[in-house]
Amino acid sequence: MSSPIDSTPDEDRSACGASHALDRALALQPLAGQPDGYMGHTSIDYWNMVGPFGGVTAAVALQAVLVHPQLLGGPVTLTVNYVAALAQGAFRIQARPVRTNRSTQHWTIEVTQTDAAGTAAVVLTGTAMTALRRDAWSDDEQRMPEVPAAAQLEPVRSAARALFRHYDLRVVEGHVPQRWEDQLSPSRSRLWVRDEPPRPLDFPALAAMSDIFFPRIWLRRARQTPVGTVSMTVYFHADAARLARAGTDHVLAQASGQGYFKGFHDQSAQLWSSQGELLATSHQVVYYKD
Amino acid sequence: MSSPIDSTPDEDRSACGASHALDRALALQPLAGQPDGYMGHTSIDYWNMVGPFGGVTAAVALQAVLVHPQLLGGPVTLTVNYVAALAQGAFRIQARPVRTNRSTQHWTIEVTQTDAAGTAAVVLTGTAMTALRRDAWSDDEQRMPEVPAAAQLEPVRSAARALFRHYDLRVVEGHVPQRWEDQLSPSRSRLWVRDEPPRPLDFPALAAMSDIFFPRIWLRRARQTPVGTVSMTVYFHADAARLARAGTDHVLAQASGQGYFKGFHDQSAQLWSSQGELLATSHQVVYYKD
C-alpha cells in the first residue's frame, strides 16, 4: 500500500465540519469555454488497492452528467469502461449530451488524464441515458430476499484499504473466504452497505455501491488472484421519491457471477432499500489472472 | 406494417445462392480517408415493427470493431444505446480504438444518419472492449437449465415481421401470452434460437440473438404496451473454439425482468450452446408506456 492510504486528510476535514468524503470526491469544476468539460481530482478517501475505488469513479462519471446545465430528467442507465488505471491527481471529464429526445437524453462520457510529459490519455469511456419518468405501472419482480436486519450484524472492520473507512458493510452471506482453500463454492454475496458517516442516498452514491463487492472469482474459487473491473453498467429503478424513502439507511446489495472464461468473468447485482424497494440492477466484467 | 416488410428481395437474392441475410446486413464499406469510418445500410431482411431489429443493429456495431485493421483480440463487452430510431437506408458508423493496452483494447462506437435536408444526427452510441484471451481457469457457474431439445419443439411461425423469417425459434417456456388478460406472471422465457438458414455462430450473430426476446413486460403483465429497447450490454464468454463447438446448432436463450419502474424495465439474459456451454450474458433496458 502506498503512503496516501496511511494519511488521513479526510478525517481532518470531517472534524472541521466539512462536507462528506463522497461529496468531496464528486466535486467538479466547470472548464471555462468548454460547456461539456469539468476538472476533478481522484479521492484518496476512497483509495483501493492500486487506484481509486472504481465505484466512486463511476459515481463521478454520472455526476458530470447530473451537474450539466442541459440535463433532462434523472438517470436510467450508466455504463463505464475502466480503460486504464487512474493516477492519483487531477482528471478532466467530458459529459456530452449527444441527443435530447422529448423525454430521454443520451450522453457520452470520457475521462482523460495528462501525464508528466503533458500527453493526455483516455482513462475512462462511458455512456448514460437520462429520462423524465412518467407515472407508469411499476413492479419489482426481483424481490428482496429475507435477511437479518443490518442492526443484527457486525460491521466489517478493515484497516487495509481507505475505502472501508467510508462504508459501513455488514455481510449477510458470501463474505471473503476465511481460508483460500481452492474449493468451488456458489459466488453469491449479500451484504448491507451504507455510506459512513450516513449520507442521504442519491444516484452517484448508488452507482458507487453497485461496485462494492469483492471479486466473485475469489468467492467462487476460494483463491485470491489478481483482478480488476473493466466495465460496469448500472440500471437505475428509482426516482427522487424512492431515493428519499431509502434515506440514510443501509442498502441490501446482492451479487453473483455467471460466467468465468479465459481471463474475464461477469457479475450480476441487485440493490434494494431497507424497505425492500429495488433501487438498481448492475452488471460488470472483471479481468482476472490465474 | 410498412411496405418493405411485404417485399422479398432477400429471398430473391438467396435463391441466387448469395450470402446469408445476416452477412448482407453486416456488410460495411470503408470510408476513404477515414480510418475508423464505414458506410452500412439497414437490412429489410431483419425489419421489426417500426425499424430494423435492434439485435442486428448491435451486431453491426460490433462488426465495425471486428473488421477494424487495428483490432486486438476478440470481443469481451459490447454496449449499444439506441439513441433514435434508424430510418431505412444508409448509415455511417465509426468504431474508434480509444486505447490499446497490452492485452485489452477499448472502443467507442457511433452511428449517424443524414436526413433529407443533409443534417447528420447520432442514432446509436456504444462502447466495446476486446482482449487477447489467455488459457486461464474457466467455469460456467450459471448452468444451462434442463430443457427439451430443439428438435422436440415446433418452430414459431409468424408472418407478421420480416425478422422471423431469418430466425428459427422454438419456445420452451414463456411464450408471448395467448391472451392479454392483465394477470401478473413470472417474466422468464426460455427458447431455442438459430439463424435461418443455419449459419455458423460468430460474435455478431450472438450479439443479435441477445436481443431476440419479446419485451419482458408483455409476459409479466399479460398486457401489450408500446415498448422499445434503449440500451443493451452483451458480455461474451466465448472464443473462436467455443463458437466453433456451438456451430450451426440452436442456442438456448433465457431472459427475465428484474425491475419495472416508471417507464423503463430491465432484462437479464443468458445464452448457451446446445452442448451447455455459456456463450454470453446480456442485459438491456426497455422503455414502456402504460
Side-chain angles (χ1 to χ4, degrees), chain A residues 133-134 137 139 141 187 220 239 258 260-262 283 288, chain B residues 133-134 137-139 141 187 220 239 260-262 270 283 288:
Chain A
R133 299 268 184 181
R134 288 169 306 97
W137 174 85
D139 172 52
E141 183 171 1
S187 71
R220 181 69 175 152
D239 57 3
Q258 299 183 101
Y260 310 74
F261 185 71
K262 293 192 173 181
H283 315 94
Y288 66 89
Chain B
R133 298 269 185 182
R134 288 169 304 99
W137 173 87
S138 298
D139 172 53
E141 182 172 1
S187 70
R220 181 68 175 153
D239 57 4
Y260 310 75
F261 185 71
K262 294 193 172 180
Q270 298 84 29
H283 314 94
Y288 65 90

PDB file of all heavy atoms in Angstrom, chain A residues 133-134 137 139 141 187 220 239 258 260-262 283 288, chain B residues 133-134 137-139 141 187 220 239 260-262 270 283 288:
ATOM      1  N   ARG A 133     -39.204  10.551 -15.932  1.00  0.00           N
ATOM      2  CA  ARG A 133     -40.025   9.393 -15.572  1.00  0.00           C
ATOM      3  C   ARG A 133     -41.502   9.771 -15.626  1.00  0.00           C
ATOM      4  O   ARG A 133     -41.873  10.890 -15.294  1.00  0.00           O
ATOM      5  CB  ARG A 133     -39.682   8.942 -14.153  1.00  0.00           C
ATOM      6  CG  ARG A 133     -38.232   8.504 -13.959  1.00  0.00           C
ATOM      7  CD  ARG A 133     -38.088   7.019 -14.182  1.00  0.00           C
ATOM      8  NE  ARG A 133     -36.730   6.537 -13.906  1.00  0.00           N
ATOM      9  CZ  ARG A 133     -36.369   5.273 -14.063  1.00  0.00           C
ATOM     10  NH1 ARG A 133     -37.242   4.362 -14.486  1.00  0.00           N
ATOM     11  NH2 ARG A 133     -35.142   4.890 -13.815  1.00  0.00           N
ATOM     12  N   ARG A 134     -42.328   8.843 -16.069  1.00  0.00           N
ATOM     13  CA  ARG A 134     -43.770   9.044 -16.048  1.00  0.00           C
ATOM     14  C   ARG A 134     -44.398   8.113 -15.017  1.00  0.00           C
ATOM     15  O   ARG A 134     -43.797   7.118 -14.634  1.00  0.00           O
ATOM     16  CB  ARG A 134     -44.366   8.754 -17.430  1.00  0.00           C
ATOM     17  CG  ARG A 134     -44.033   9.803 -18.474  1.00  0.00           C
ATOM     18  CD  ARG A 134     -44.401   9.357 -19.864  1.00  0.00           C
ATOM     19  NE  ARG A 134     -43.789   8.065 -20.192  1.00  0.00           N
ATOM     20  CZ  ARG A 134     -44.387   6.900 -20.099  1.00  0.00           C
ATOM     21  NH1 ARG A 134     -45.621   6.810 -19.720  1.00  0.00           N
ATOM     22  NH2 ARG A 134     -43.729   5.782 -20.402  1.00  0.00           N
ATOM     23  N   TRP A 137     -47.183   2.076 -14.712  1.00  0.00           N
ATOM     24  CA  TRP A 137     -47.245   0.865 -13.887  1.00  0.00           C
ATOM     25  C   TRP A 137     -45.811   0.444 -13.525  1.00  0.00           C
ATOM     26  O   TRP A 137     -44.926   0.446 -14.377  1.00  0.00           O
ATOM     27  CB  TRP A 137     -47.918  -0.245 -14.703  1.00  0.00           C
ATOM     28  CG  TRP A 137     -47.917  -1.595 -14.041  1.00  0.00           C
ATOM     29  CD1 TRP A 137     -48.820  -2.072 -13.143  1.00  0.00           C
ATOM     30  CD2 TRP A 137     -46.951  -2.636 -14.237  1.00  0.00           C
ATOM     31  NE1 TRP A 137     -48.479  -3.344 -12.771  1.00  0.00           N
ATOM     32  CE2 TRP A 137     -47.337  -3.724 -13.419  1.00  0.00           C
ATOM     33  CE3 TRP A 137     -45.796  -2.761 -15.012  1.00  0.00           C
ATOM     34  CZ2 TRP A 137     -46.619  -4.912 -13.360  1.00  0.00           C
ATOM     35  CZ3 TRP A 137     -45.077  -3.935 -14.957  1.00  0.00           C
ATOM     36  CH2 TRP A 137     -45.494  -5.002 -14.131  1.00  0.00           C
ATOM     37  N   ASP A 139     -43.240  -2.283 -10.914  1.00  0.00           N
ATOM     38  CA  ASP A 139     -43.251  -3.567 -10.207  1.00  0.00           C
ATOM     39  C   ASP A 139     -41.819  -4.040 -10.005  1.00  0.00           C
ATOM     40  O   ASP A 139     -41.012  -4.012 -10.920  1.00  0.00           O
ATOM     41  CB  ASP A 139     -44.024  -4.591 -11.056  1.00  0.00           C
ATOM     42  CG  ASP A 139     -43.932  -5.999 -10.512  1.00  0.00           C
ATOM     43  OD1 ASP A 139     -44.217  -6.190  -9.318  1.00  0.00           O
ATOM     44  OD2 ASP A 139     -43.578  -6.906 -11.276  1.00  0.00           O
ATOM     45  N   GLU A 141     -40.068  -7.147  -9.792  1.00  0.00           N
ATOM     46  CA  GLU A 141     -40.208  -8.601  -9.941  1.00  0.00           C
ATOM     47  C   GLU A 141     -39.141  -9.327  -9.121  1.00  0.00           C
ATOM     48  O   GLU A 141     -39.403 -10.371  -8.537  1.00  0.00           O
ATOM     49  CB  GLU A 141     -40.088  -9.012 -11.416  1.00  0.00           C
ATOM     50  CG  GLU A 141     -40.305 -10.512 -11.614  1.00  0.00           C
ATOM     51  CD  GLU A 141     -40.405 -10.922 -13.075  1.00  0.00           C
ATOM     52  OE1 GLU A 141     -40.287 -10.058 -13.965  1.00  0.00           O
ATOM     53  OE2 GLU A 141     -40.605 -12.131 -13.312  1.00  0.00           O
ATOM     54  N   SER A 187     -21.019 -18.270  -5.861  1.00  0.00           N
ATOM     55  CA  SER A 187     -20.363 -16.964  -5.721  1.00  0.00           C
ATOM     56  C   SER A 187     -21.279 -15.894  -5.147  1.00  0.00           C
ATOM     57  O   SER A 187     -20.918 -14.727  -5.134  1.00  0.00           O
ATOM     58  CB  SER A 187     -19.846 -16.510  -7.079  1.00  0.00           C
ATOM     59  OG  SER A 187     -20.938 -16.163  -7.917  1.00  0.00           O
ATOM     60  N   ARG A 220     -15.899 -17.765  -5.644  1.00  0.00           N
ATOM     61  CA  ARG A 220     -16.168 -18.969  -6.428  1.00  0.00           C
ATOM     62  C   ARG A 220     -15.070 -20.005  -6.238  1.00  0.00           C
ATOM     63  O   ARG A 220     -15.345 -21.197  -6.101  1.00  0.00           O
ATOM     64  CB  ARG A 220     -16.287 -18.583  -7.924  1.00  0.00           C
ATOM     65  CG  ARG A 220     -16.597 -19.735  -8.875  1.00  0.00           C
ATOM     66  CD  ARG A 220     -17.984 -20.270  -8.685  1.00  0.00           C
ATOM     67  NE  ARG A 220     -18.353 -21.294  -9.650  1.00  0.00           N
ATOM     68  CZ  ARG A 220     -19.229 -22.262  -9.390  1.00  0.00           C
ATOM     69  NH1 ARG A 220     -19.828 -22.342  -8.219  1.00  0.00           N
ATOM     70  NH2 ARG A 220     -19.536 -23.156 -10.305  1.00  0.00           N
ATOM     71  N   ASP A 239     -36.505   6.987  -8.556  1.00  0.00           N
ATOM     72  CA  ASP A 239     -36.564   8.433  -8.791  1.00  0.00           C
ATOM     73  C   ASP A 239     -36.259   9.104  -7.447  1.00  0.00           C
ATOM     74  O   ASP A 239     -35.927   8.430  -6.462  1.00  0.00           O
ATOM     75  CB  ASP A 239     -37.927   8.836  -9.359  1.00  0.00           C
ATOM     76  CG  ASP A 239     -39.088   8.429  -8.462  1.00  0.00           C
ATOM     77  OD1 ASP A 239     -38.834   7.870  -7.361  1.00  0.00           O
ATOM     78  OD2 ASP A 239     -40.244   8.653  -8.847  1.00  0.00           O
ATOM     79  N   GLN A 258     -21.786 -15.308 -13.176  1.00  0.00           N
ATOM     80  CA  GLN A 258     -22.460 -16.260 -14.066  1.00  0.00           C
ATOM     81  C   GLN A 258     -21.448 -17.044 -14.902  1.00  0.00           C
ATOM     82  O   GLN A 258     -21.534 -18.253 -15.002  1.00  0.00           O
ATOM     83  CB  GLN A 258     -23.440 -15.515 -14.983  1.00  0.00           C
ATOM     84  CG  GLN A 258     -24.530 -14.771 -14.223  1.00  0.00           C
ATOM     85  CD  GLN A 258     -25.526 -14.089 -15.163  1.00  0.00           C
ATOM     86  OE1 GLN A 258     -26.620 -14.581 -15.391  1.00  0.00           O
ATOM     87  NE2 GLN A 258     -25.135 -12.955 -15.712  1.00  0.00           N
ATOM     88  N   TYR A 260     -17.161 -17.410 -16.121  1.00  0.00           N
ATOM     89  CA  TYR A 260     -15.738 -17.120 -15.924  1.00  0.00           C
ATOM     90  C   TYR A 260     -15.033 -17.760 -17.097  1.00  0.00           C
ATOM     91  O   TYR A 260     -14.996 -18.990 -17.197  1.00  0.00           O
ATOM     92  CB  TYR A 260     -15.229 -17.748 -14.620  1.00  0.00           C
ATOM     93  CG  TYR A 260     -16.085 -17.453 -13.397  1.00  0.00           C
ATOM     94  CD1 TYR A 260     -17.323 -18.070 -13.212  1.00  0.00           C
ATOM     95  CD2 TYR A 260     -15.649 -16.549 -12.428  1.00  0.00           C
ATOM     96  CE1 TYR A 260     -18.107 -17.801 -12.102  1.00  0.00           C
ATOM     97  CE2 TYR A 260     -16.423 -16.273 -11.305  1.00  0.00           C
ATOM     98  CZ  TYR A 260     -17.654 -16.899 -11.154  1.00  0.00           C
ATOM     99  OH  TYR A 260     -18.435 -16.631 -10.049  1.00  0.00           O
ATOM    100  N   PHE A 261     -14.530 -16.953 -17.995  1.00  0.00           N
ATOM    101  CA  PHE A 261     -13.984 -17.552 -19.205  1.00  0.00           C
ATOM    102  C   PHE A 261     -12.669 -16.897 -19.631  1.00  0.00           C
ATOM    103  O   PHE A 261     -12.647 -15.714 -19.979  1.00  0.00           O
ATOM    104  CB  PHE A 261     -14.998 -17.483 -20.356  1.00  0.00           C
ATOM    105  CG  PHE A 261     -14.549 -18.196 -21.599  1.00  0.00           C
ATOM    106  CD1 PHE A 261     -14.484 -19.588 -21.627  1.00  0.00           C
ATOM    107  CD2 PHE A 261     -14.140 -17.490 -22.717  1.00  0.00           C
ATOM    108  CE1 PHE A 261     -14.034 -20.254 -22.751  1.00  0.00           C
ATOM    109  CE2 PHE A 261     -13.694 -18.152 -23.858  1.00  0.00           C
ATOM    110  CZ  PHE A 261     -13.635 -19.538 -23.876  1.00  0.00           C
ATOM    111  N   LYS A 262     -11.599 -17.666 -19.551  1.00  0.00           N
ATOM    112  CA  LYS A 262     -10.294 -17.264 -20.090  1.00  0.00           C
ATOM    113  C   LYS A 262      -9.931 -15.813 -19.809  1.00  0.00           C
ATOM    114  O   LYS A 262      -9.652 -15.033 -20.712  1.00  0.00           O
ATOM    115  CB  LYS A 262     -10.251 -17.542 -21.602  1.00  0.00           C
ATOM    116  CG  LYS A 262     -10.290 -19.038 -21.915  1.00  0.00           C
ATOM    117  CD  LYS A 262      -9.947 -19.338 -23.365  1.00  0.00           C
ATOM    118  CE  LYS A 262      -9.826 -20.848 -23.584  1.00  0.00           C
ATOM    119  NZ  LYS A 262      -9.469 -21.193 -24.962  1.00  0.00           N
ATOM    120  N   HIS A 283     -24.297  -4.772 -13.608  1.00  0.00           N
ATOM    121  CA  HIS A 283     -23.532  -5.863 -14.189  1.00  0.00           C
ATOM    122  C   HIS A 283     -22.138  -5.359 -14.423  1.00  0.00           C
ATOM    123  O   HIS A 283     -21.940  -4.180 -14.728  1.00  0.00           O
ATOM    124  CB  HIS A 283     -24.166  -6.297 -15.507  1.00  0.00           C
ATOM    125  CG  HIS A 283     -25.646  -6.423 -15.384  1.00  0.00           C
ATOM    126  ND1 HIS A 283     -26.497  -5.409 -15.715  1.00  0.00           N
ATOM    127  CD2 HIS A 283     -26.407  -7.427 -14.901  1.00  0.00           C
ATOM    128  CE1 HIS A 283     -27.736  -5.787 -15.450  1.00  0.00           C
ATOM    129  NE2 HIS A 283     -27.711  -7.003 -14.964  1.00  0.00           N
ATOM    130  N   TYR A 288      -9.335 -11.211 -14.736  1.00  0.00           N
ATOM    131  CA  TYR A 288      -8.626 -11.979 -13.701  1.00  0.00           C
ATOM    132  C   TYR A 288      -7.451 -12.734 -14.293  1.00  0.00           C
ATOM    133  O   TYR A 288      -7.434 -13.074 -15.473  1.00  0.00           O
ATOM    134  CB  TYR A 288      -9.576 -12.940 -12.969  1.00  0.00           C
ATOM    135  CG  TYR A 288     -10.152 -14.056 -13.820  1.00  0.00           C
ATOM    136  CD1 TYR A 288      -9.499 -15.288 -13.957  1.00  0.00           C
ATOM    137  CD2 TYR A 288     -11.368 -13.890 -14.486  1.00  0.00           C
ATOM    138  CE1 TYR A 288     -10.028 -16.310 -14.733  1.00  0.00           C
ATOM    139  CE2 TYR A 288     -11.909 -14.906 -15.266  1.00  0.00           C
ATOM    140  CZ  TYR A 288     -11.233 -16.110 -15.388  1.00  0.00           C
ATOM    141  OH  TYR A 288     -11.763 -17.117 -16.161  1.00  0.00           O
TER     142      TYR A 288
ATOM    143  N   ARG B 133      -7.512 -13.441 -25.208  1.00  0.00           N
ATOM    144  CA  ARG B 133      -7.856 -14.369 -24.136  1.00  0.00           C
ATOM    145  C   ARG B 133      -6.635 -15.203 -23.770  1.00  0.00           C
ATOM    146  O   ARG B 133      -5.845 -15.569 -24.638  1.00  0.00           O
ATOM    147  CB  ARG B 133      -8.968 -15.315 -24.607  1.00  0.00           C
ATOM    148  CG  ARG B 133     -10.265 -14.616 -24.972  1.00  0.00           C
ATOM    149  CD  ARG B 133     -11.188 -14.528 -23.796  1.00  0.00           C
ATOM    150  NE  ARG B 133     -12.482 -13.971 -24.144  1.00  0.00           N
ATOM    151  CZ  ARG B 133     -13.448 -13.759 -23.246  1.00  0.00           C
ATOM    152  NH1 ARG B 133     -13.253 -14.063 -21.976  1.00  0.00           N
ATOM    153  NH2 ARG B 133     -14.596 -13.242 -23.599  1.00  0.00           N
ATOM    154  N   ARG B 134      -6.497 -15.498 -22.496  1.00  0.00           N
ATOM    155  CA  ARG B 134      -5.433 -16.389 -22.054  1.00  0.00           C
ATOM    156  C   ARG B 134      -6.045 -17.696 -21.542  1.00  0.00           C
ATOM    157  O   ARG B 134      -7.224 -17.731 -21.220  1.00  0.00           O
ATOM    158  CB  ARG B 134      -4.634 -15.725 -20.929  1.00  0.00           C
ATOM    159  CG  ARG B 134      -3.746 -14.581 -21.395  1.00  0.00           C
ATOM    160  CD  ARG B 134      -3.184 -13.796 -20.223  1.00  0.00           C
ATOM    161  NE  ARG B 134      -4.250 -13.310 -19.358  1.00  0.00           N
ATOM    162  CZ  ARG B 134      -4.638 -13.874 -18.236  1.00  0.00           C
ATOM    163  NH1 ARG B 134      -4.028 -14.957 -17.784  1.00  0.00           N
ATOM    164  NH2 ARG B 134      -5.622 -13.366 -17.527  1.00  0.00           N
ATOM    165  N   TRP B 137      -8.109 -20.406 -15.825  1.00  0.00           N
ATOM    166  CA  TRP B 137      -9.186 -21.217 -15.252  1.00  0.00           C
ATOM    167  C   TRP B 137     -10.527 -20.672 -15.717  1.00  0.00           C
ATOM    168  O   TRP B 137     -10.748 -19.463 -15.721  1.00  0.00           O
ATOM    169  CB  TRP B 137      -9.076 -21.156 -13.734  1.00  0.00           C
ATOM    170  CG  TRP B 137     -10.211 -21.816 -13.005  1.00  0.00           C
ATOM    171  CD1 TRP B 137     -10.288 -23.135 -12.665  1.00  0.00           C
ATOM    172  CD2 TRP B 137     -11.404 -21.189 -12.521  1.00  0.00           C
ATOM    173  NE1 TRP B 137     -11.466 -23.374 -12.001  1.00  0.00           N
ATOM    174  CE2 TRP B 137     -12.173 -22.200 -11.895  1.00  0.00           C
ATOM    175  CE3 TRP B 137     -11.902 -19.900 -12.562  1.00  0.00           C
ATOM    176  CZ2 TRP B 137     -13.404 -21.948 -11.309  1.00  0.00           C
ATOM    177  CZ3 TRP B 137     -13.139 -19.630 -11.982  1.00  0.00           C
ATOM    178  CH2 TRP B 137     -13.872 -20.652 -11.366  1.00  0.00           C
ATOM    179  N   SER B 138     -11.428 -21.527 -16.143  1.00  0.00           N
ATOM    180  CA  SER B 138     -12.730 -21.101 -16.635  1.00  0.00           C
ATOM    181  C   SER B 138     -13.829 -21.968 -16.038  1.00  0.00           C
ATOM    182  O   SER B 138     -13.585 -23.124 -15.655  1.00  0.00           O
ATOM    183  CB  SER B 138     -12.772 -21.195 -18.173  1.00  0.00           C
ATOM    184  OG  SER B 138     -11.800 -20.325 -18.744  1.00  0.00           O
ATOM    185  N   ASP B 139     -15.039 -21.399 -15.943  1.00  0.00           N
ATOM    186  CA  ASP B 139     -16.129 -22.111 -15.278  1.00  0.00           C
ATOM    187  C   ASP B 139     -17.450 -21.440 -15.626  1.00  0.00           C
ATOM    188  O   ASP B 139     -17.568 -20.219 -15.572  1.00  0.00           O
ATOM    189  CB  ASP B 139     -15.900 -22.063 -13.760  1.00  0.00           C
ATOM    190  CG  ASP B 139     -17.075 -22.611 -12.966  1.00  0.00           C
ATOM    191  OD1 ASP B 139     -17.504 -23.736 -13.244  1.00  0.00           O
ATOM    192  OD2 ASP B 139     -17.560 -21.898 -12.068  1.00  0.00           O
ATOM    193  N   GLU B 141     -20.615 -20.891 -14.070  1.00  0.00           N
ATOM    194  CA  GLU B 141     -21.366 -21.046 -12.817  1.00  0.00           C
ATOM    195  C   GLU B 141     -22.866 -21.106 -13.097  1.00  0.00           C
ATOM    196  O   GLU B 141     -23.596 -21.867 -12.467  1.00  0.00           O
ATOM    197  CB  GLU B 141     -21.061 -19.891 -11.852  1.00  0.00           C
ATOM    198  CG  GLU B 141     -21.782 -20.056 -10.521  1.00  0.00           C
ATOM    199  CD  GLU B 141     -21.361 -19.049  -9.466  1.00  0.00           C
ATOM    200  OE1 GLU B 141     -20.515 -18.183  -9.755  1.00  0.00           O
ATOM    201  OE2 GLU B 141     -21.890 -19.148  -8.340  1.00  0.00           O
ATOM    202  N   SER B 187     -41.708 -13.421 -15.506  1.00  0.00           N
ATOM    203  CA  SER B 187     -41.382 -12.949 -16.860  1.00  0.00           C
ATOM    204  C   SER B 187     -40.345 -13.832 -17.560  1.00  0.00           C
ATOM    205  O   SER B 187     -39.866 -13.478 -18.621  1.00  0.00           O
ATOM    206  CB  SER B 187     -40.840 -11.525 -16.788  1.00  0.00           C
ATOM    207  OG  SER B 187     -39.552 -11.520 -16.196  1.00  0.00           O
ATOM    208  N   ARG B 220     -44.818 -10.325 -18.182  1.00  0.00           N
ATOM    209  CA  ARG B 220     -45.062 -10.041 -16.768  1.00  0.00           C
ATOM    210  C   ARG B 220     -46.511  -9.619 -16.516  1.00  0.00           C
ATOM    211  O   ARG B 220     -47.136 -10.035 -15.559  1.00  0.00           O
ATOM    212  CB  ARG B 220     -44.093  -8.938 -16.315  1.00  0.00           C
ATOM    213  CG  ARG B 220     -44.184  -8.526 -14.849  1.00  0.00           C
ATOM    214  CD  ARG B 220     -43.727  -9.635 -13.932  1.00  0.00           C
ATOM    215  NE  ARG B 220     -43.695  -9.231 -12.531  1.00  0.00           N
ATOM    216  CZ  ARG B 220     -43.853 -10.091 -11.529  1.00  0.00           C
ATOM    217  NH1 ARG B 220     -44.013 -11.377 -11.754  1.00  0.00           N
ATOM    218  NH2 ARG B 220     -43.799  -9.668 -10.289  1.00  0.00           N
ATOM    219  N   ASP B 239     -14.673 -17.885 -27.085  1.00  0.00           N
ATOM    220  CA  ASP B 239     -13.626 -17.581 -28.057  1.00  0.00           C
ATOM    221  C   ASP B 239     -13.968 -18.354 -29.336  1.00  0.00           C
ATOM    222  O   ASP B 239     -15.031 -18.993 -29.425  1.00  0.00           O
ATOM    223  CB  ASP B 239     -12.234 -17.942 -27.515  1.00  0.00           C
ATOM    224  CG  ASP B 239     -12.119 -19.408 -27.114  1.00  0.00           C
ATOM    225  OD1 ASP B 239     -13.109 -20.179 -27.323  1.00  0.00           O
ATOM    226  OD2 ASP B 239     -11.063 -19.807 -26.603  1.00  0.00           O
ATOM    227  N   TYR B 260     -39.281  -2.977 -13.021  1.00  0.00           N
ATOM    228  CA  TYR B 260     -40.117  -2.209 -13.946  1.00  0.00           C
ATOM    229  C   TYR B 260     -40.467  -0.931 -13.199  1.00  0.00           C
ATOM    230  O   TYR B 260     -41.218  -0.982 -12.217  1.00  0.00           O
ATOM    231  CB  TYR B 260     -41.398  -2.976 -14.275  1.00  0.00           C
ATOM    232  CG  TYR B 260     -41.175  -4.417 -14.715  1.00  0.00           C
ATOM    233  CD1 TYR B 260     -40.844  -5.409 -13.789  1.00  0.00           C
ATOM    234  CD2 TYR B 260     -41.294  -4.783 -16.058  1.00  0.00           C
ATOM    235  CE1 TYR B 260     -40.630  -6.714 -14.181  1.00  0.00           C
ATOM    236  CE2 TYR B 260     -41.090  -6.094 -16.458  1.00  0.00           C
ATOM    237  CZ  TYR B 260     -40.754  -7.050 -15.516  1.00  0.00           C
ATOM    238  OH  TYR B 260     -40.547  -8.352 -15.902  1.00  0.00           O
ATOM    239  N   PHE B 261     -39.902   0.169 -13.612  1.00  0.00           N
ATOM    240  CA  PHE B 261     -40.109   1.379 -12.808  1.00  0.00           C
ATOM    241  C   PHE B 261     -40.378   2.605 -13.672  1.00  0.00           C
ATOM    242  O   PHE B 261     -39.499   3.045 -14.414  1.00  0.00           O
ATOM    243  CB  PHE B 261     -38.904   1.628 -11.890  1.00  0.00           C
ATOM    244  CG  PHE B 261     -39.116   2.783 -10.949  1.00  0.00           C
ATOM    245  CD1 PHE B 261     -40.004   2.667  -9.890  1.00  0.00           C
ATOM    246  CD2 PHE B 261     -38.455   3.991 -11.145  1.00  0.00           C
ATOM    247  CE1 PHE B 261     -40.232   3.738  -9.037  1.00  0.00           C
ATOM    248  CE2 PHE B 261     -38.675   5.066 -10.286  1.00  0.00           C
ATOM    249  CZ  PHE B 261     -39.562   4.939  -9.228  1.00  0.00           C
ATOM    250  N   LYS B 262     -41.588   3.112 -13.579  1.00  0.00           N
ATOM    251  CA  LYS B 262     -41.962   4.391 -14.188  1.00  0.00           C
ATOM    252  C   LYS B 262     -41.433   4.574 -15.599  1.00  0.00           C
ATOM    253  O   LYS B 262     -40.741   5.541 -15.909  1.00  0.00           O
ATOM    254  CB  LYS B 262     -41.522   5.543 -13.295  1.00  0.00           C
ATOM    255  CG  LYS B 262     -42.273   5.580 -11.961  1.00  0.00           C
ATOM    256  CD  LYS B 262     -42.072   6.889 -11.214  1.00  0.00           C
ATOM    257  CE  LYS B 262     -43.007   6.935  -9.988  1.00  0.00           C
ATOM    258  NZ  LYS B 262     -42.854   8.184  -9.233  1.00  0.00           N
ATOM    259  N   GLN B 270     -29.225 -14.977 -20.603  1.00  0.00           N
ATOM    260  CA  GLN B 270     -28.086 -15.894 -20.726  1.00  0.00           C
ATOM    261  C   GLN B 270     -28.266 -16.710 -21.999  1.00  0.00           C
ATOM    262  O   GLN B 270     -29.389 -17.081 -22.327  1.00  0.00           O
ATOM    263  CB  GLN B 270     -28.023 -16.861 -19.522  1.00  0.00           C
ATOM    264  CG  GLN B 270     -27.816 -16.204 -18.162  1.00  0.00           C
ATOM    265  CD  GLN B 270     -29.111 -15.701 -17.548  1.00  0.00           C
ATOM    266  OE1 GLN B 270     -30.177 -16.237 -17.787  1.00  0.00           O
ATOM    267  NE2 GLN B 270     -29.028 -14.652 -16.746  1.00  0.00           N
ATOM    268  N   HIS B 283     -27.796  -7.835 -20.874  1.00  0.00           N
ATOM    269  CA  HIS B 283     -28.738  -7.032 -20.095  1.00  0.00           C
ATOM    270  C   HIS B 283     -29.237  -5.916 -20.964  1.00  0.00           C
ATOM    271  O   HIS B 283     -28.495  -5.404 -21.803  1.00  0.00           O
ATOM    272  CB  HIS B 283     -28.038  -6.467 -18.858  1.00  0.00           C
ATOM    273  CG  HIS B 283     -27.222  -7.500 -18.159  1.00  0.00           C
ATOM    274  ND1 HIS B 283     -25.876  -7.671 -18.402  1.00  0.00           N
ATOM    275  CD2 HIS B 283     -27.581  -8.482 -17.316  1.00  0.00           C
ATOM    276  CE1 HIS B 283     -25.447  -8.708 -17.706  1.00  0.00           C
ATOM    277  NE2 HIS B 283     -26.453  -9.216 -17.044  1.00  0.00           N
ATOM    278  N   TYR B 288     -41.122   1.602 -21.793  1.00  0.00           N
ATOM    279  CA  TYR B 288     -42.507   1.149 -21.990  1.00  0.00           C
ATOM    280  C   TYR B 288     -43.496   2.248 -21.623  1.00  0.00           C
ATOM    281  O   TYR B 288     -43.208   3.119 -20.811  1.00  0.00           O
ATOM    282  CB  TYR B 288     -42.804  -0.122 -21.182  1.00  0.00           C
ATOM    283  CG  TYR B 288     -42.750   0.041 -19.672  1.00  0.00           C
ATOM    284  CD1 TYR B 288     -43.895   0.398 -18.940  1.00  0.00           C
ATOM    285  CD2 TYR B 288     -41.571  -0.175 -18.968  1.00  0.00           C
ATOM    286  CE1 TYR B 288     -43.850   0.541 -17.553  1.00  0.00           C
ATOM    287  CE2 TYR B 288     -41.520  -0.033 -17.598  1.00  0.00           C
ATOM    288  CZ  TYR B 288     -42.659   0.325 -16.887  1.00  0.00           C
ATOM    289  OH  TYR B 288     -42.608   0.482 -15.527  1.00  0.00           O
TER     290      TYR B 288
END
